[in-house]
Amino acid sequence: MTETSRYLRLRQICLVARELEPVVDDLCAVFGVKVCHRDPEVGQFGLHNALMPFGTSFIEVVAPTRGGTTAGRYLERRQGDGGYMVILDSEELPRWRTHVAEIGVRIAAPLTLGDYEGMQLHPRDTGGALLEINTTLGGADLEQGTYWPAGPHWRDHVSTERAEGIAGAVLQSADPAALARQWGRILQRPVAQAADWELDVDNATLRFVKATDGRGEGLTAVKLQVRDADAIRRAAQARALPSDVDSVTVCGVRFELASRTQPN
């Protein structure tokens, strides 16, 4: 494995909701996306889910189907629907397993199914949100490669008329500097302070901000690269969802709308 073949990408954001379908309906209506996969494997965790492609990345929504789940406790702690997981993909997991063991970060849930492997890290060791790193054999190519969590036919459901892809995520904390440094240590990426503390992966920027909304530490926003912000805002307003000139809010998460700069 050469250095140039290594990658670390923000591939999926997971939201958690008390009720699955109303949130899925909102996401599809507002962003013009379609459900590409529902994974029966999450049933073992007392959940059901839906994934929607945003370009070559994905928004997943999970909701509890019974009491006593980790997701249900998270909903209680964060006082309602909100951001749940930041999911990164990489070329293979052995080096990451070795690395997290060396720095004392526990693997809360090892995941293996066929050509897919993943590891969810213990939230007490990461802070901020549940953090997962996964890999799928043959998944290096974003456009043509496989990505097991999204199912075998996700490309058939891609619609980018309004939203082109995920450009970043925002985590809030009482101590954003400490949280940024911990994630930088885990992900082996430098952190820097601009307006906020930031950490870059290959295709996105993770930002770390002060928690001010009374909901505590967690995933508070997703940055989207969009083509038609006006259509997104109109659709959000039609569904009585919070919106302003720069963002809309769905499932308790603020979606920041970033349009590409047009050439002169």
Side-chain angles (χ1 to χ4, degrees), residues 3-79:
E3 288 293 329
T4 55
S5 66
R6 290 185 171 187
Y7 60 90
L8 182 65
R9 304 178 299 215
L10 177 58
R11 199 68 195 276
Q12 185 176 330
I13 293 291
C14 181
L15 314 180
V16 62
R18 295 190 187 279
E19 300 291 336
L20 179 66
E21 296 306 332
V23 172
V24 172
D25 289 348
D26 281 343
L27 289 166
C28 291
V30 171
F31 298 111
V33 295
K34 304 172 185 176
V35 172
C36 66
H37 188 55
R38 296 177 187 267
D39 180 9
E41 295 293 331
V42 303
Q44 64 184 298
F45 303 109
L47 303 172
H48 57 161
N49 80 335
L51 276 86
M52 291 135 282
F54 282 63
T56 56
S57 299
F58 304 88
I59 299 290
E60 177 186 13
V61 185
V62 300
T65 56
R66 56 175 168 80
T69 65
T70 300
R73 290 189 292 273
Y74 197 85
L75 284 164
E76 293 298 325
R77 182 174 71 79
R78 298 217 64 229
Q79 305 167 52

Side-chain angles (χ1 to χ4, degrees), residues 50 80 83 90 102 112 116 185 198:
S90 191
E102 288 174 345
T112 304
Y116 163 81
R185 181 169 171 255
E198 297 182 349

Side-chain angles (χ1 to χ4, degrees), residues 53-58 154 158-160 163-166:
F54 282 63
T56 56
S57 299
F58 304 88
W154 65 265
V158 173
S159 176
T160 58
E164 293 183 276
I166 300 172

Side-chain angles (χ1 to χ4, degrees), residues 236-237 239-244 247-250:
Q237 290 161 5
R239 299 179 78 85
L241 295 168
S243 66
D244 57 35
S247 70
V248 301
T249 297
V250 183

Side-chain angles (χ1 to χ4, degrees), residues 75-212:
L75 284 164
E76 293 298 325
R77 182 174 71 79
R78 298 217 64 229
Q79 305 167 52
D81 296 359
Y84 191 37
M85 297 182 67
V86 174
I87 300 172
L88 309 175
D89 74 339
S90 191
E91 79 289 345
E92 60 181 45
L93 288 190
R95 70 182 176 98
W96 290 107
R97 291 193 190 100
T98 299
H99 167 62
V100 299
E102 288 174 345
I103 64 172
V105 172
R106 292 165 290 176
I107 298 173
L111 310 167
T112 304
L113 188 65
D115 291 336
Y116 163 81
E117 289 185 281
M119 58 180 191
Q120 292 177 3
L121 303 182
H122 201 294
R124 290 186 181 176
D125 296 341
T126 64
L130 288 171
L131 174 59
E132 177 183 318
I133 302 174
N134 67 36
T135 188
T136 304
L137 184 66
D141 187 332
L142 277 171
E143 297 292 339
Q144 301 300 324
T146 56
Y147 185 64
W148 181 87
H153 306 297
W154 65 265
R155 292 174 199 80
D156 298 337
H157 299 82
V158 173
S159 176
T160 58
E161 291 182 4
R162 295 184 186 177
E164 293 183 276
I166 300 172
V170 183
L171 296 116
Q172 66 178 30
S173 169
D175 189 346
L179 182 61
R181 286 192 290 267
Q182 178 65 353
W183 278 53
R185 181 169 171 255
I186 293 168
L187 300 178
Q188 298 183 298
R189 295 294 173 106
V191 297
Q193 186 176 23
D196 301 310
W197 287 91
E198 297 182 349
L199 178 161
D200 289 335
V201 293
D202 293 356
N203 64 340
T205 297
L206 305 180
R207 296 195 344 256
F208 303 84
V209 303
K210 190 80 170 177
T212 60

